[in-house]
Short mmCIF file of all heavy atoms in Angstrom, two decimals:
data_model
loop_
_atom_site.label_atom_id
_atom_site.label_comp_id
_atom_site.label_asym_id
_atom_site.label_seq_id
_atom_site.Cartn_x
_atom_site.Cartn_y
_atom_site.Cartn_z
N SER A 1 4.14 -8.09 9.17
CA SER A 1 4.12 -7.75 7.68
C SER A 1 3.04 -8.43 6.91
O SER A 1 2.29 -7.73 6.19
CB SER A 1 5.45 -8.02 7.12
OG SER A 1 6.52 -7.37 7.82
N LEU A 2 2.73 -9.58 7.21
CA LEU A 2 1.65 -10.35 6.48
C LEU A 2 0.32 -9.76 6.86
O LEU A 2 -0.53 -9.52 6.08
CB LEU A 2 1.80 -11.76 6.77
CG LEU A 2 2.99 -12.64 6.18
CD1 LEU A 2 2.97 -13.99 6.73
CD2 LEU A 2 2.83 -12.60 4.59
N THR A 3 0.22 -9.47 8.20
CA THR A 3 -1.09 -8.96 8.60
C THR A 3 -1.37 -7.59 8.11
O THR A 3 -2.46 -7.22 7.78
CB THR A 3 -0.99 -8.92 10.28
OG1 THR A 3 -0.77 -10.23 10.71
CG2 THR A 3 -2.46 -8.48 10.74
N THR A 4 -0.33 -6.74 8.00
CA THR A 4 -0.43 -5.39 7.45
C THR A 4 -0.85 -5.38 6.03
O THR A 4 -1.62 -4.56 5.54
CB THR A 4 0.86 -4.64 7.69
OG1 THR A 4 1.25 -4.53 9.14
CG2 THR A 4 0.74 -3.19 7.15
N ILE A 5 -0.24 -6.34 5.33
CA ILE A 5 -0.67 -6.52 3.87
C ILE A 5 -2.24 -6.75 3.88
O ILE A 5 -2.89 -6.24 3.02
CB ILE A 5 0.12 -7.66 3.12
CG1 ILE A 5 1.61 -7.00 3.06
CG2 ILE A 5 -0.36 -7.91 1.84
CD1 ILE A 5 2.62 -8.16 2.64
N ALA A 6 -2.63 -7.69 4.72
CA ALA A 6 -4.04 -8.04 4.61
C ALA A 6 -4.96 -6.93 5.03
O ALA A 6 -6.03 -6.79 4.50
CB ALA A 6 -4.27 -9.29 5.54
N TRP A 7 -4.42 -6.21 5.95
CA TRP A 7 -5.28 -4.92 6.34
C TRP A 7 -5.49 -3.96 5.29
O TRP A 7 -6.38 -3.22 5.33
CB TRP A 7 -4.58 -4.17 7.62
CG TRP A 7 -4.63 -4.87 9.00
CD1 TRP A 7 -3.68 -5.07 9.86
CD2 TRP A 7 -5.81 -5.42 9.58
NE1 TRP A 7 -4.16 -5.75 11.04
CE2 TRP A 7 -5.41 -5.83 10.75
CE3 TRP A 7 -7.16 -5.62 9.16
CZ2 TRP A 7 -6.33 -6.48 11.75
CZ3 TRP A 7 -8.05 -6.16 10.06
CH2 TRP A 7 -7.62 -6.66 11.31
N ILE A 8 -4.52 -3.89 4.38
CA ILE A 8 -4.68 -3.02 3.22
C ILE A 8 -5.96 -3.31 2.41
O ILE A 8 -6.82 -2.50 2.15
CB ILE A 8 -3.50 -3.12 2.15
CG1 ILE A 8 -2.21 -2.53 2.94
CG2 ILE A 8 -3.71 -2.39 0.99
CD1 ILE A 8 -0.94 -2.76 2.21
N PHE A 9 -6.36 -4.61 2.26
CA PHE A 9 -7.50 -5.06 1.66
C PHE A 9 -8.71 -4.63 2.57
O PHE A 9 -9.80 -4.27 2.01
CB PHE A 9 -7.52 -6.50 1.32
CG PHE A 9 -6.58 -6.86 0.23
CD1 PHE A 9 -5.21 -7.20 0.59
CD2 PHE A 9 -6.95 -6.85 -1.07
CE1 PHE A 9 -4.35 -7.54 -0.52
CE2 PHE A 9 -6.05 -7.18 -2.09
CZ PHE A 9 -4.75 -7.42 -1.80
N PHE A 10 -8.57 -4.82 3.79
CA PHE A 10 -9.64 -4.38 4.75
C PHE A 10 -9.96 -3.03 4.68
O PHE A 10 -11.16 -2.54 4.75
CB PHE A 10 -9.21 -4.89 6.16
CG PHE A 10 -10.22 -4.98 7.22
CD1 PHE A 10 -10.85 -6.17 7.43
CD2 PHE A 10 -10.65 -3.69 7.87
CE1 PHE A 10 -11.80 -6.18 8.53
CE2 PHE A 10 -11.61 -3.81 8.85
CZ PHE A 10 -12.22 -5.03 9.19
N ARG A 11 -9.01 -2.06 4.43
CA ARG A 11 -9.23 -0.74 4.52
C ARG A 11 -9.59 -0.06 3.02
O ARG A 11 -10.37 0.86 2.89
CB ARG A 11 -7.88 0.02 4.95
CG ARG A 11 -8.01 1.60 4.95
CD ARG A 11 -9.05 2.13 5.80
NE ARG A 11 -8.95 3.58 5.91
CZ ARG A 11 -9.48 4.34 4.88
NH1 ARG A 11 -10.03 3.84 3.76
NH2 ARG A 11 -9.30 5.69 5.09
N ALA A 12 -9.08 -0.71 1.98
CA ALA A 12 -9.29 -0.14 0.60
C ALA A 12 -10.75 -0.34 0.29
O ALA A 12 -11.56 -1.18 0.70
CB ALA A 12 -8.40 -0.99 -0.26
N ASP A 13 -11.17 0.50 -0.69
CA ASP A 13 -12.56 0.60 -1.20
C ASP A 13 -12.84 -0.51 -2.15
O ASP A 13 -13.98 -0.99 -2.29
CB ASP A 13 -12.94 1.94 -1.75
CG ASP A 13 -12.91 3.08 -0.66
OD1 ASP A 13 -13.23 2.83 0.38
OD2 ASP A 13 -12.53 4.24 -1.17
N SER A 14 -11.76 -1.08 -2.81
CA SER A 14 -11.99 -2.19 -3.71
C SER A 14 -10.77 -2.97 -3.83
O SER A 14 -9.61 -2.59 -3.33
CB SER A 14 -12.34 -1.57 -5.17
OG SER A 14 -11.15 -0.91 -5.69
N ILE A 15 -10.80 -4.21 -4.29
CA ILE A 15 -9.70 -5.06 -4.42
C ILE A 15 -8.61 -4.45 -5.43
O ILE A 15 -7.43 -4.54 -5.18
CB ILE A 15 -10.13 -6.47 -4.94
CG1 ILE A 15 -10.93 -7.10 -3.82
CG2 ILE A 15 -8.89 -7.31 -5.20
CD1 ILE A 15 -11.48 -8.47 -4.14
N LYS A 16 -9.26 -3.80 -6.47
CA LYS A 16 -8.26 -3.13 -7.40
C LYS A 16 -7.43 -2.09 -6.76
O LYS A 16 -6.19 -2.04 -6.96
CB LYS A 16 -9.03 -2.57 -8.69
CG LYS A 16 -8.33 -1.92 -9.57
CD LYS A 16 -9.21 -1.37 -10.77
CE LYS A 16 -8.29 -0.72 -11.85
NZ LYS A 16 -9.16 -0.08 -12.92
N GLU A 17 -8.10 -1.33 -5.97
CA GLU A 17 -7.37 -0.20 -5.16
C GLU A 17 -6.32 -0.72 -4.31
O GLU A 17 -5.27 -0.32 -4.16
CB GLU A 17 -8.21 0.65 -4.49
CG GLU A 17 -9.16 1.66 -5.37
CD GLU A 17 -10.04 2.58 -4.63
OE1 GLU A 17 -9.77 2.62 -3.38
OE2 GLU A 17 -11.00 3.30 -5.20
N ALA A 18 -6.69 -1.86 -3.63
CA ALA A 18 -5.70 -2.61 -2.64
C ALA A 18 -4.45 -3.05 -3.44
O ALA A 18 -3.35 -2.85 -2.91
CB ALA A 18 -6.42 -3.69 -1.97
N PHE A 19 -4.69 -3.63 -4.64
CA PHE A 19 -3.51 -4.10 -5.30
C PHE A 19 -2.66 -3.01 -5.85
O PHE A 19 -1.48 -2.93 -5.90
CB PHE A 19 -3.90 -5.06 -6.43
CG PHE A 19 -4.19 -6.46 -6.11
CD1 PHE A 19 -5.46 -7.01 -6.02
CD2 PHE A 19 -3.11 -7.39 -5.69
CE1 PHE A 19 -5.71 -8.36 -5.71
CE2 PHE A 19 -3.29 -8.54 -5.29
CZ PHE A 19 -4.63 -9.12 -5.27
N ALA A 20 -3.31 -1.98 -6.21
CA ALA A 20 -2.59 -0.77 -6.67
C ALA A 20 -1.86 -0.08 -5.56
O ALA A 20 -0.74 0.34 -5.71
CB ALA A 20 -3.54 0.25 -7.26
N TYR A 21 -2.40 -0.17 -4.33
CA TYR A 21 -1.79 0.38 -3.15
C TYR A 21 -0.53 -0.43 -2.80
O TYR A 21 0.54 0.15 -2.65
CB TYR A 21 -2.68 0.31 -2.01
CG TYR A 21 -2.31 1.17 -0.75
CD1 TYR A 21 -2.78 2.36 -0.39
CD2 TYR A 21 -1.24 0.63 0.12
CE1 TYR A 21 -2.36 3.12 0.76
CE2 TYR A 21 -0.80 1.36 1.18
CZ TYR A 21 -1.42 2.52 1.44
OH TYR A 21 -0.97 3.20 2.62
N ILE A 22 -0.51 -1.74 -2.89
CA ILE A 22 0.61 -2.52 -2.65
C ILE A 22 1.63 -2.46 -3.64
O ILE A 22 2.83 -2.40 -3.39
CB ILE A 22 0.12 -3.99 -2.58
CG1 ILE A 22 -0.84 -4.35 -1.43
CG2 ILE A 22 1.35 -5.04 -2.49
CD1 ILE A 22 -1.50 -5.68 -1.31
N GLN A 23 1.23 -2.29 -4.92
CA GLN A 23 2.09 -2.10 -6.02
C GLN A 23 2.81 -0.78 -5.85
O GLN A 23 4.04 -0.64 -6.15
CB GLN A 23 1.38 -2.02 -7.35
CG GLN A 23 2.27 -2.00 -8.62
CD GLN A 23 1.52 -2.18 -9.89
OE1 GLN A 23 0.19 -2.12 -9.95
NE2 GLN A 23 2.13 -2.07 -11.03
N GLY A 24 2.08 0.18 -5.35
CA GLY A 24 2.77 1.60 -5.06
C GLY A 24 3.84 1.53 -3.93
O GLY A 24 4.80 2.25 -4.03
N ILE A 25 3.71 0.58 -3.06
CA ILE A 25 4.65 0.49 -1.88
C ILE A 25 6.00 -0.17 -2.58
O ILE A 25 7.13 0.32 -2.10
CB ILE A 25 4.18 -0.58 -0.87
CG1 ILE A 25 3.00 0.21 -0.04
CG2 ILE A 25 5.27 -0.79 0.22
CD1 ILE A 25 2.38 -0.57 0.89
N VAL A 26 5.81 -1.03 -3.47
CA VAL A 26 6.99 -1.69 -4.07
C VAL A 26 7.64 -0.79 -5.17
O VAL A 26 7.35 -1.12 -6.43
CB VAL A 26 6.68 -3.17 -4.62
CG1 VAL A 26 7.86 -3.85 -5.08
CG2 VAL A 26 6.06 -3.94 -3.43
N HIS A 27 8.25 0.26 -4.78
CA HIS A 27 8.79 1.24 -5.79
C HIS A 27 10.10 1.80 -5.10
O HIS A 27 10.17 1.83 -3.98
CB HIS A 27 7.72 2.27 -5.99
CG HIS A 27 8.07 3.22 -7.14
ND1 HIS A 27 8.78 4.34 -6.88
CD2 HIS A 27 7.69 3.20 -8.47
CE1 HIS A 27 8.82 4.97 -8.04
NE2 HIS A 27 8.18 4.34 -8.92
N ARG A 28 10.98 2.34 -5.97
CA ARG A 28 12.16 2.86 -5.45
C ARG A 28 11.96 4.16 -4.68
O ARG A 28 12.80 4.50 -3.97
CB ARG A 28 13.16 3.15 -6.62
CG ARG A 28 12.64 4.20 -7.66
CD ARG A 28 13.66 4.43 -8.80
NE ARG A 28 13.11 5.41 -9.84
CZ ARG A 28 12.51 5.08 -10.95
NH1 ARG A 28 12.17 3.87 -11.18
NH2 ARG A 28 12.10 6.11 -11.80
N SER A 29 10.75 4.83 -4.85
CA SER A 29 10.59 5.93 -3.88
C SER A 29 10.37 5.52 -2.51
O SER A 29 10.06 6.44 -1.58
CB SER A 29 9.33 6.69 -4.35
OG SER A 29 8.10 5.90 -4.39
N ILE A 30 10.58 4.32 -2.13
CA ILE A 30 10.39 3.87 -0.81
C ILE A 30 11.57 4.54 0.08
O ILE A 30 11.42 4.62 1.27
CB ILE A 30 10.58 2.36 -0.63
CG1 ILE A 30 10.26 1.79 0.69
CG2 ILE A 30 12.04 1.80 -1.05
CD1 ILE A 30 8.89 1.80 1.07
N PHE A 31 12.60 4.93 -0.58
CA PHE A 31 13.78 5.58 0.02
C PHE A 31 13.59 7.12 0.17
O PHE A 31 14.49 7.85 0.73
CB PHE A 31 15.11 5.23 -0.55
CG PHE A 31 15.34 3.70 -0.51
CD1 PHE A 31 15.15 3.01 -1.69
CD2 PHE A 31 15.62 3.05 0.64
CE1 PHE A 31 15.35 1.66 -1.64
CE2 PHE A 31 15.80 1.69 0.72
CZ PHE A 31 15.77 0.91 -0.50
N ASP A 32 12.67 7.65 -0.54
CA ASP A 32 12.39 9.07 -0.57
C ASP A 32 11.68 9.66 0.78
O ASP A 32 11.03 8.75 1.46
CB ASP A 32 11.61 9.49 -1.77
CG ASP A 32 12.26 9.22 -2.98
OD1 ASP A 32 13.56 9.03 -2.91
OD2 ASP A 32 11.65 9.07 -4.11
N LEU A 33 11.67 10.84 1.01
CA LEU A 33 11.00 11.52 2.03
C LEU A 33 9.51 11.28 1.83
O LEU A 33 8.98 11.58 0.78
CB LEU A 33 11.29 12.96 2.24
CG LEU A 33 11.07 13.58 3.65
CD1 LEU A 33 12.06 12.99 4.65
CD2 LEU A 33 11.38 15.12 3.46
N PRO A 34 8.76 10.68 2.91
CA PRO A 34 7.17 10.49 2.67
C PRO A 34 6.50 11.77 2.32
O PRO A 34 6.73 12.79 2.80
CB PRO A 34 6.82 10.00 4.12
CG PRO A 34 8.05 9.48 4.68
CD PRO A 34 9.12 10.39 4.16
N SER A 35 5.61 11.63 1.35
CA SER A 35 4.87 12.78 0.87
C SER A 35 3.53 12.99 1.56
O SER A 35 2.47 12.84 1.21
CB SER A 35 4.58 12.50 -0.67
OG SER A 35 3.82 11.24 -0.85
N ILE A 36 3.82 13.27 2.90
CA ILE A 36 2.64 13.54 3.80
C ILE A 36 2.60 14.98 4.19
O ILE A 36 3.69 15.65 4.43
CB ILE A 36 2.82 12.55 5.04
CG1 ILE A 36 2.92 11.18 4.82
CG2 ILE A 36 1.68 12.81 6.13
CD1 ILE A 36 3.28 10.15 5.81
N SER A 37 1.44 15.53 4.17
CA SER A 37 1.30 16.99 4.40
C SER A 37 1.90 17.49 5.66
O SER A 37 2.58 18.40 5.78
CB SER A 37 -0.14 17.37 4.24
OG SER A 37 -1.00 16.70 5.26
#
């Protein structure tokens, strides 16, 4: 889990986007069906 969080910064285009991505994970929609095409 710790490694995966760090990989988000490795993959993101900016630190701001990485933090926004992590913030997006911590949301009640975690229990919803994934919005993947």
Side-chain angles (χ1 to χ4, degrees):
S1 299
L2 291 173
T3 306
T4 301
I5 291 170
W7 285 135
I8 292 172
F9 289 92
F10 196 92
R11 176 60 176 79
D13 292 330
S14 67
I15 293 178
K16 182 180 178 181
E17 286 186 14
F19 276 114
Y21 192 103
I22 294 170
Q23 187 178 2
I25 293 177
V26 187
H27 190 271
R28 62 177 178 271
S29 62
I30 191 77
F31 301 106
D32 295 343
L33 202 64
S35 57
I36 300 174
S37 58

